[in-house]
Amino acid sequence: MMLYSLVTNDVTKYPGDVDGLIDFVGSAGPYRDAIIEQIGDANTSTIEKYLGTPLGKRSCRFVISRNASELSDGYHNSWLRTGTAFTSNGISTNQWIELPCHVESIQSVSVSIWGGEDVVLVEGQDFYVDLSCKYPKIMLGWNMSIMDAFYKYKNMIVDFTGGLYEVDGTVPAPILLAINMATKGFFENPGDGAFNPLDNGMNFLLRNYQVPAIGG
């Protein structure tokens, strides 16, 4: 069983204009502004996790892990047999790894090894990328010089810049509206259980942006 984790290197904040959010909530009194901003940050973080993709352009890390039980001959034989090809440089696994959000650029790809040192992979030699599709992907093209790393790797780490944003860098308007609606709802109904942050209105705005669950 492989485990997948997507993390960002910063704290999620409300991605729109805070003054506009305050106006949307309709608060009277500056002492409430900080509370509204905090609710907006919390809702942004929650919706980000619900969607499964970072909001706004972010520096992200995608980690693929597997446990020791997978390092068996049976696992490798069955996994490799479906997509192994011999090339002039050695063996290419021809297995695509799909990333869970838009990727603008990849900074590094590395693997950590059971009982060994980490190996930094070289683009165009050890791996290839396709950033043109909806969910960008990486194909491992293992050369014989690092073939042992493939058989023994524990974690694969992909550092990249990406996230969910429009061409101009802003978060899509339906997502901002959903965050605003959730913030107004929580502000007006604090802790009474009457407010559903994913009612039909907000879910309608968010569902087209939700990333399919990653797991295996």
Side-chain angles (χ1 to χ4, degrees), residues 73-149:
D73 289 340
Y75 170 82
H76 287 294
N77 289 339
S78 62
W79 195 83
L80 287 172
R81 191 180 298 121
T82 61
T84 302
F86 289 90
T87 68
S88 58
N89 293 324
I91 297 178
S92 172
T93 64
N94 288 338
Q95 299 288 340
W96 286 105
I97 296 173
E98 192 174 79
L99 301 176
C101 66
H102 169 73
V103 175
E104 186 173 285
S105 61
I106 292 179
Q107 280 69 59
S108 68
V109 177
S110 61
V111 291
S112 57
I113 310 301
W114 291 97
E117 297 181 354
D118 292 357
V119 177
V120 178
L121 308 185
V122 179
E123 184 175 354
Q125 173 180 303
D126 305 323
F127 72 94
Y128 304 88
V129 299
D130 181 0
L131 304 183
S132 61
C133 46
K134 181 177 181 180
Y135 297 114
K137 50 192 177 181
I138 296 174
M139 183 175 73
L140 305 179
W142 299 92
N143 298 312
M144 290 302 292
S145 60
I146 63 166
M147 197 63 191
D148 190 52

Side-chain angles (χ1 to χ4, degrees), residues 115-188:
E117 297 181 354
D118 292 357
V119 177
V120 178
L121 308 185
V122 179
E123 184 175 354
Q125 173 180 303
D126 305 323
F127 72 94
Y128 304 88
V129 299
D130 181 0
L131 304 183
S132 61
C133 46
K134 181 177 181 180
Y135 297 114
K137 50 192 177 181
I138 296 174
M139 183 175 73
L140 305 179
W142 299 92
N143 298 312
M144 290 302 292
S145 60
I146 63 166
M147 197 63 191
D148 190 52
F150 169 72
Y151 282 108
K152 294 182 179 179
Y153 89 82
K154 176 178 61 174
N155 300 309
M156 176 174 291
I157 301 171
V158 183
D159 289 317
F160 67 91
T161 299
L164 181 58
Y165 53 92
E166 303 285 13
V167 175
D168 62 359
T170 62
V171 171
I175 295 176
L176 273 179
L177 179 56
I179 297 172
N180 290 353
M181 291 170 63
T183 301
K184 182 177 178 66
F186 278 116
F187 184 80
E188 295 177 346

